[in-house]
């Protein structure tokens, strides 16, 4: 059994499935998936105590050294005989060429998301928008080249910078309709502005990438804040859950395929 872990800035997601082979589908068939907050990391071993035997572990971590240490301790309890592999960006992997100026500097979560998007939508020009603590918006060509992207504060960070009603952000965000862009109260005006900024960046990226490639663009939307943006999108999009985990799955699939030939 393969255990994949996406340690983000706010939450840690995990997915478990059979070891992939060359014949495995592009969209992983999860045995189980889940997520926990950083404060729940000591409970991860108990959460996975009844899991089938784990033979491989692949981790993407952008949450820093403390989370890495806590994860290492938890994984030692979960699968003491398995040495976790720590995913990192590379010049090329799983059918994706990394066009970053310094390929190793690209955040491993962005690289994994781009791998997943290209695997799920091959031979398509893509904008990959992952909306979490930060929002990252990246361009991938139909030929499988990661061209670069942009990083901006996520929806909640934007709202927190204005220090009003952030505890109720989801409820406020869901209550705004396209017709209510110009809100008649401060709380909704803040959230409407934040949503507009997120959408503006994503939609501008889709337009610019389409012009650059002289071809239609598929927009991939993922991340915890994606549902709050999806209803307001003015461009066509595909909403994919667990995009980083899916990228890790394809990285593991490529690795296993190479090592069996």
């Amino acid at each position: 059994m393969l255990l994949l872990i996406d340690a983000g800035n706010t939450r840690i997601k995990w997915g478990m499935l059979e070891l992939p082979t060359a014949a495995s589908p592009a969209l992983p068939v999860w045995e189980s998936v889940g997520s926990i907050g950083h404060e729940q990391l000591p409970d991860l071993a108990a959460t996975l105590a009844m899991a089938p035997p784990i033979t491989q572990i692949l981790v993407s971590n952008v949450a820093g050294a403390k989370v890495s240490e806590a994860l290492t301790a938890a994984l030692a309890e979960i699968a003491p005989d398995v040495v976790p592999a720590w995913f990192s960006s590379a010049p090329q992997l799983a059918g994706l060429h990394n066009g970053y100026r310094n390929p190793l500097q690209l955040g491993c979560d962005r690289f994994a998301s781009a791998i997943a998007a290209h695997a799920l939508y091959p031979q398509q020009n893509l904008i990959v928008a992952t909306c979490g603590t930060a929002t990252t918006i990246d361009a991938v060509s139909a030929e499988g080249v990661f061209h670069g992207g942009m990083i901006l504060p996520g929806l909640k960070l934007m709202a927190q910078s204005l220090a009003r009603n952030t505890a109720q952000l989801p409820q406020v965000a869901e209550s705004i309709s396209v017709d209510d862009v110009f809100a008649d109260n401060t709380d909704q005006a803040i959230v409407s502005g934040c949503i507009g900024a997120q959408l503006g960046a994503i939609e501008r990226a889709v337009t610019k990438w389409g012009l650059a490639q002289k071809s239609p663009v598929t927009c991939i939307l993922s991340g915890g804040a994606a549902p709050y943006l999806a209803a307001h999108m003015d461009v066509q999009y595909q909403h994919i859950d667990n995009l980083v985990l899916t990228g890790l799955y394809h990285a593991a699939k490529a690795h296993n395929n190479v090592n069996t030939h």
Side-chain angles (χ1 to χ4, degrees), residues 14 40 44 52 71 81 98 113 121 125 165 182 229 232 243:
W14 54 268
Q40 297 172 295
L44 182 62
L71 267 174
D81 297 327
N98 185 348
S113 292
Y121 298 92
N125 293 302
N165 209 19
F182 303 107
L229 303 177
H232 313 299
L243 199 60

Side-chain angles (χ1 to χ4, degrees), residues 124-125 141-143 205-217:
Q124 295 187 42
N125 293 302
S141 73
E143 296 76 26
V206 170
T207 299
K208 291 290 188 182
W209 191 228
L211 290 172
Q213 297 300 101
K214 299 186 172 79
S215 176
V217 170

Side-chain angles (χ1 to χ4, degrees), residues 124-211:
Q124 295 187 42
N125 293 302
L126 305 172
I127 287 295
V128 185
T130 304
C131 311
T133 304
T135 294
T136 59
I137 305 169
D138 294 315
V140 178
S141 73
E143 296 76 26
V145 178
F146 179 96
H147 279 259
M150 61 182 84
I151 304 172
L152 58 152
L155 183 59
K156 188 173 182 179
L157 277 178
M158 280 189 172
Q160 283 176 335
S161 71
L162 294 168
R164 279 186 65 97
N165 209 19
T166 53
Q168 297 179 22
L169 176 63
Q171 294 89 338
V172 176
E174 289 170 348
S175 72
I176 293 176
S177 71
V178 173
D179 294 333
D180 295 330
V181 171
F182 303 107
D184 62 2
N185 64 86
T186 302
D187 290 333
Q188 285 201 333
I190 288 172
V191 178
S192 180
C194 294
I195 288 176
Q198 301 281 315
L199 296 177
I202 294 168
E203 291 167 4
R204 183 173 186 270
V206 170
T207 299
K208 291 290 188 182
W209 191 228
L211 290 172

Side-chain angles (χ1 to χ4, degrees), residues 52-112:
I54 295 166
T55 56
Q56 284 187 23
I57 301 172
L58 182 59
V59 183
S60 166
N61 175 35
V62 297
K66 287 186 178 180
V67 168
S68 176
E69 291 172 8
L71 267 174
T72 299
L75 294 174
E77 289 187 56
I78 294 165
D81 297 327
V82 179
V83 177
W86 296 84
F87 181 76
S88 60
S89 294
Q92 189 160 336
L93 182 64
L96 186 75
H97 175 77
N98 185 348
Y100 229 44
R101 183 181 301 174
N102 178 355
L104 303 185
Q105 191 182 51
L106 176 64
C108 60
D109 54 342
R110 294 171 66 194
F111 190 49

